[in-house]
Amino acid sequence: MKHTDFGQMPCPIARSLGKVGEWWSILILRDAFYGLTRFDEFEKSLKIAPNMLTRRLAGLVAGGLMEKRQYSARPPRYEYLLTEKGKAFKPVLLAFIAWGNEHLAPEGASLLVVNRETGQPAEQILVDKRSGRAISDEDYMFAPGPAAPEVMRMRLREASQRVPFIKHPGSN
């Protein structure tokens, strides 16, 4: 089955999904943050077919989220390491944890993000790095960026009439 190429779409959500939107890719990245690096480690952890794992790792390497590095010449063996781009995916995984624990875990949280010193669970929020303020519907909105094509500007203009979180420059 041929997938749509989201890489050329102007929407950052679509472009991101084009790189990591397939669930195996996100789980591979999760395991990489757990410290797994070798093919057999990913295969064992995920219980994924080798051909599927090969494709997903190749996609993450091609997308610049992981790098493939040989660690054994005889036989040739490789490890897969997070790149800076891959490490920058961590806030997305943290958001998945918080959302999943809040909305999809009636039995309780199975994974927490905790303070290293106190062991206290973190209460995650999305914060504006410039101001330090929590991003909320009252104070923040979607707006077209400088590279937004006209279709995106139009979509946001129309949406701003329906959804308070979306504004268009010049609207109140």
Side-chain angles (χ1 to χ4, degrees), residues 134-146:
I135 294 180
S136 65
D137 288 355
E138 295 80 32
D139 297 325
Y140 292 85
M141 62 189 179
F142 294 122

Side-chain angles (χ1 to χ4, degrees), residues 91-107:
V92 178
L93 290 177
L94 294 175
F96 268 119
I97 293 166
W99 185 79
N101 280 341
E102 184 173 342
H103 299 287
L104 304 174
E107 71 285 356

Side-chain angles (χ1 to χ4, degrees), residues 9-37:
M9 291 183 175
C11 175
I13 296 169
R15 285 183 179 178
S16 298
L17 286 172
K19 295 294 179 202
V20 296
E22 200 281 326
W23 58 75
W24 285 120
S25 298
I26 294 171
L27 293 175
I28 291 167
L29 290 169
R30 176 205 62 190
D31 281 1
F33 278 104
Y34 287 167
L36 304 186
T37 61

Side-chain angles (χ1 to χ4, degrees), residues 143-149 153:
R153 292 174 188 281

Side-chain angles (χ1 to χ4, degrees), residues 60-156:
L60 290 168
V61 169
L65 286 98
M66 298 186 91
E67 79 173 90
K68 182 178 178 179
R69 186 182 309 160
Q70 189 169 3
Y71 68 86
S72 172
R74 299 184 80 141
R77 297 277 188 249
Y78 299 90
E79 61 184 352
Y80 297 85
L81 305 168
L82 291 166
T83 61
E84 289 306 310
K85 188 176 184 178
K87 291 174 185 174
F89 190 74
K90 189 172 188 176
V92 178
L93 290 177
L94 294 175
F96 268 119
I97 293 166
W99 185 79
N101 280 341
E102 184 173 342
H103 299 287
L104 304 174
E107 71 285 356
S110 62
L111 175 64
L112 297 172
V113 177
V114 299
N115 182 293
R116 287 184 190 274
E117 292 180 18
T118 66
Q120 292 296 309
E123 291 191 38
Q124 298 180 55
I125 58 169
L126 188 57
V127 175
D128 177 354
K129 187 175 179 179
R130 288 188 177 114
S131 70
R133 293 172 52 194
I135 294 180
S136 65
D137 288 355
E138 295 80 32
D139 297 325
Y140 292 85
M141 62 189 179
F142 294 122
E150 185 54 36
V151 67
M152 182 180 285
R153 292 174 188 281
M154 184 176 68
R155 184 180 306 131
L156 289 169

